[in-house]
Amino acid sequence: MKPGRWKGLSWVQFYFSLLCVILDFQLDGVSGDNVEIEKHREMGRKLLESGQLAGALSHYHSAVGSISSCNEMVHIKIQHLYLTYYERAAVFLAMGKSKSALSDLTRAIRLKPDDLIARLQMGNIFLKMGNTQKARENFQAVLQRSPDQDEARHQLMRANELEELQEKAHATHHSRDYRTTINVLDRVLVLSPWDPESLELRAECYIHLGNTRKAIQDLTPTAWLRNDNRAAFLKLSTLHYSLGENKESIGHVRECLKLNQDDKKCLSHFKQVKKLIKQLDSAEEHIKEERYQMAISNYESVMKTEPNVPYYTNKAKERICFCLVKEKMAAKAIDICSEAHQRDPRNINILRDRAEAFILNRDYGEAVEDYEEAMEFDMENNEIRDGLKRAQELLKFTPKKDYYKILGVERSANKEEIIHAYRQQARKWHPDKYRVDWEKRKAGKRFIDITSAKKVLTDPASLQDLGTVKRPLIACLLLY
C-alpha cells in the first residue's frame, strides 16, 4: 500500500507558512492578475484544507500548465509560478511524496532565491529523508541571511545529532550487534522517518533476530521511497511468502513486475508462488469434498514444490495428519501427527487429530493426554473440551492391559520365554535410544508397560489376581 499521510509530518505547519507568503504577494497586488490561474490555485488550497489531496494536486497541475502558456508580463508569471510551486509542494508533502515536494521547492527557490521559508522547508525535508549534508546546507543558508532564525539553528543541531546516530548504527551493525543497532535506529528514525536506508537497515536487523513481521513493517514504505525499488518489492514478497501469506506475497511481486515485466528474480518467484497457491487451494478443495487421499497427494506435492520454507512443510504435515485420521489410518496418522506436533508444539489442531488417531488405535490414555495439552493452549475451545470428555469416558471403561500382548508372547509362555521377550522389547523401547521429544515420550511409556508386564507375568500371585492362570503346570514352571 502506498504511504499516505506520514506520522510526524510538518506539512500542516508548512501549509500555514505558505499562507503567509501568499498574503505577502496579495499585499503587493500581484495575486488575481490571471483569473484562470487564481481559480485553480484557490480550488487547490480549499481541497488541501479539506484533505482531498488528489483533487488539490490536479488543480495545481492545471495552474502550472496555465502559467506555462500565459502571455502576461514575465514578472507576473514568475510570481504566480513561485506561489504555485510552493503550494503544490505542500500537497506533495501531505501525500508523502517528499521527492516531488523537493523538486517544487527547488523551482520556487530558483524563482525567489531570498525566500528563507522555502529554504527552511527544504532543509526539513532533507532531514526527514536522512540526508544530513543537504539538510545542513539549507539550514546554514538560512542562518547566513538570518542569524537569529531559531528554527534553522535548532534543526542544524538535529542534523548533526542525526549524523552521529547514523554512524553509530552502521558501526554496531558491522559488529553484528543487531539489538543495539535497532535501538539506535529507533532514535534515527524519529529524526528521519523518510530515510529508506535506515528503514532497510533496521529491517535487516529484525530478519537476523527472526522478527519477520517487524521487518515487513519497515520494508513496506521503502518500496515507495526509492524509485524503481524492485529489490524491496521482491524482499517483501519473500517475507510474506515465508509466513504463508501468499496473497500479500503475490501482490508485492506483481508490483515488481509492473516496474519490469522481464525481471528474472521477480518472475521466477511469481511462478513459484502461483504454483504453490494452486496446489494448496486444490488440496483444501479435495478436503472439502472429502477426497482425503487426493488431498494427501496434493500436500505431498506442496512439500516437493517448497521444501525449504518451514511454514509449508508444517502446514502439509498438519493437513496430512488430519486426512489420515479421516481415512482411519490410525498407526500412520499417529506417526505423521507426532512429527507435525514436533514441528509445531502449540498447534491444537495437530493435538486434536493425534488424539483422535490414538482413539482409533484404542490408546485412550494417550488421547486424554493430547486433549489435556490442547486445553492448556485454548481453554474455551468446545471441540477440544468435548474430545477430552469423550476420551476420558473411553479410558474409564477400558479393560485392564493385556500384558501378554504388550510383550508379544502367547498366554502359554513360560518364565524363560517371558524374560526373553522382555529383554528384546526393553532394548527396542529404552528411552535413551531416542532424541526427539515425542519419540522419547512414547518410548518411555512403552518401556514402563513392558517392565510392568514382565513383573506381573513372572509373579504367580499377580497372575492369580489377573485370573489368567488356569493350569497348575504353568504356575509350577514360573517358579523356576
Side-chain angles (χ1 to χ4, degrees):
M1 186 177 204
K2 292 185 180 180
R5 296 182 180 86
W6 291 76
K7 292 182 180 179
L9 281 179
S10 58
W11 71 269
V12 176
Q13 293 92 326
F14 181 29
Y15 177 71
F16 284 115
S17 67
L18 74 84
L19 286 179
C20 296
V21 177
I22 294 166
L23 288 173
D24 288 341
F25 275 102
Q26 288 176 336
L27 290 173
D28 291 339
V30 176
S31 130
D33 288 337
N34 186 292
V35 176
E36 186 68 20
I37 296 169
E38 274 302 306
K39 179 182 176 182
H40 283 302
R41 285 180 47 220
E42 181 63 27
M43 284 299 300
R45 286 196 295 272
K46 287 181 178 179
L47 291 170
L48 175 59
E49 286 177 338
S50 63
Q52 299 179 56
L53 304 181
L57 187 60
S58 178
H59 278 286
Y60 281 115
H61 287 335
S62 298
V64 170
S66 297
I67 294 172
S68 299
S69 60
C70 182
N71 293 319
E72 294 183 17
M73 297 173 59
V74 174
H75 73 277
I76 296 178
K77 288 178 64 177
I78 290 175
Q79 292 163 349
H80 275 299
L81 266 176
Y82 168 78
L83 284 173
T84 305
Y85 284 134
Y86 197 91
E87 293 171 24
R88 191 170 68 173
V91 180
F92 279 131
L93 272 182
M95 299 177 78
K97 297 181 178 181
S98 53
K99 289 185 178 179
S100 297
L102 275 177
S103 179
D104 272 2
L105 285 172
T106 301
R107 293 187 181 103
I109 289 171
R110 286 175 185 166
L111 294 168
K112 192 169 182 287
D114 61 342
D115 179 35
L116 300 185
I117 296 177
R119 180 76 69 178
L120 183 61
Q121 293 303 329
M122 277 192 70
N124 288 335
I125 293 172
F126 279 122
L127 185 66
K128 290 180 183 295
M129 294 174 67
N131 190 332
T132 54
Q133 180 181 345
K134 290 287 187 181
R136 273 199 302 267
E137 288 175 2
N138 281 278
F139 296 140
Q140 287 168 350
V142 173
L143 290 170
Q144 284 176 359
R145 290 178 176 270
S146 180
D148 297 329
Q149 226 289 347
D150 290 336
E151 184 180 353
R153 186 180 297 105
H154 175 69
Q155 293 298 82
L156 181 61
M157 292 173 60
R158 285 164 66 91
N160 293 332
E161 178 189 359
L162 175 60
E163 189 169 64
E164 292 177 5
L165 289 170
Q166 288 172 334
E167 291 174 357
K168 184 177 179 181
H170 283 283
T172 54
H173 178 263
H174 183 71
S175 63
R176 299 183 180 180
D177 186 356
Y178 301 119
R179 294 191 184 280
T180 300
T181 305
I182 288 171
N183 291 334
V184 175
L185 288 171
D186 288 344
R187 296 162 62 192
V188 166
L189 289 163
V190 169
L191 298 172
S192 57
W194 306 338
D195 178 9
E197 183 178 345
S198 294
L199 286 166
E200 288 166 352
L201 188 62
R202 191 169 68 176
E204 185 181 334
C205 292
Y206 281 129
I207 290 170
H208 280 293
L209 295 175
N211 195 334
T212 305
R213 189 65 62 195
K214 285 281 191 180
I216 288 173
Q217 289 176 4
D218 275 352
L219 278 175
T220 299
T222 69
W224 307 99
L225 286 170
R226 295 188 190 276
N227 293 328
D228 191 9
N229 199 350
R230 282 175 280 162
F233 284 121
L234 179 59
K235 188 67 175 178
L236 282 166
S237 181
T238 57
L239 289 174
H240 279 292
Y241 178 76
S242 71
L243 295 175
E245 298 170 349
N246 293 315
K247 182 179 179 181
E248 292 81 358
S249 178
I250 205 78
H252 284 296
V253 76
R254 276 177 174 152
E255 290 295 336
C256 173
L257 292 172
K258 284 179 184 178
L259 295 169
N260 184 348
Q261 63 181 2
D262 297 321
D263 187 292
K264 291 182 179 179
K265 290 182 179 179
C266 289
L267 189 59
S268 174
H269 185 63
F270 176 78
K271 291 178 179 178
Q272 172 77 357
V273 180
K274 287 286 286 184
K275 181 179 180 180
L276 202 64
I277 288 174
K278 184 177 179 180
Q279 290 174 339
L280 290 167
D281 288 347
S282 178
E284 287 303 309
E285 185 64 28
H286 286 317
I287 289 175
K288 184 179 178 181
E289 299 295 329
E290 299 184 1
R291 298 189 294 264
Y292 299 115
Q293 286 295 338
M294 296 181 73
I296 290 171
S297 178
N298 275 128
Y299 273 116
E300 287 172 346
S301 297
V302 166
M303 290 189 286
K304 291 177 183 177
T305 299
E306 185 48 87
N308 301 317
V309 178
Y311 173 86
Y312 298 104
T313 302
N314 295 352
K315 183 67 175 179
K317 293 287 184 183
E318 174 192 339
R319 299 305 277 162
I320 291 173
C321 159
F322 171 82
C323 292
L324 288 170
V325 172
K326 290 296 184 181
E327 289 287 278
K328 301 189 184 305
M329 301 172 67
K332 193 171 182 180
I334 290 170
D335 288 341
I336 296 295
C337 293
S338 296
E339 184 180 349
H341 176 59
Q342 182 68 24
R343 290 171 170 272
D344 191 1
R346 299 180 66 88
N347 190 320
I348 65 170
N349 294 329
I350 296 172
L351 286 165
R352 175 205 62 202
D353 293 337
R354 189 171 70 171
E356 290 302 311
F358 279 133
I359 289 174
L360 287 172
N361 209 42
R362 298 185 180 181
D363 296 327
Y364 304 124
E366 285 82 354
V368 168
E369 289 184 11
D370 272 357
Y371 271 125
E372 286 177 339
E373 187 176 344
M375 283 287 289
E376 292 177 9
F377 301 130
D378 189 353
M379 296 289 292
E380 305 302 321
N381 191 302
N382 291 329
E383 185 181 13
I384 299 300
R385 187 184 293 109
D386 292 343
L388 175 59
K389 184 178 179 180
R390 181 162 46 85
Q392 288 170 334
E393 288 294 320
L394 288 167
L395 179 62
K396 182 178 178 181
F397 294 103
T398 300
K400 292 183 178 179
K401 292 181 178 179
D402 186 341
Y403 291 118
Y404 292 101
K405 183 178 179 181
I406 289 170
L407 289 179
V409 297
E410 299 291 334
R411 290 184 176 274
S412 60
N414 60 33
K415 182 177 182 180
E416 184 180 7
E417 290 171 334
I418 290 169
I419 291 174
H420 177 71
Y422 161 75
R423 288 172 178 168
Q424 284 186 318
Q425 294 289 326
R427 281 194 295 270
K428 179 180 178 181
W429 292 104
H430 198 286
D432 291 346
K433 292 182 62 177
Y434 299 89
R435 294 185 179 181
V436 180
D437 289 344
W438 71 267
E439 291 179 339
K440 186 180 286 292
R441 174 185 165 193
K442 179 180 178 181
K445 291 180 180 179
R446 189 61 183 253
F447 191 79
I448 291 171
D449 283 344
I450 62 177
T451 302
S452 299
K454 179 250 186 184
K455 181 178 179 181
V456 170
L457 295 181
T458 56
D459 181 3
S462 298
L463 284 171
Q464 291 290 347
D465 291 339
L466 287 173
T468 57
V469 180
K470 301 297 183 182
R471 290 173 292 180
L473 177 61
I474 296 175
C476 291
L477 287 173
L478 292 177
L479 293 174
Y480 293 93

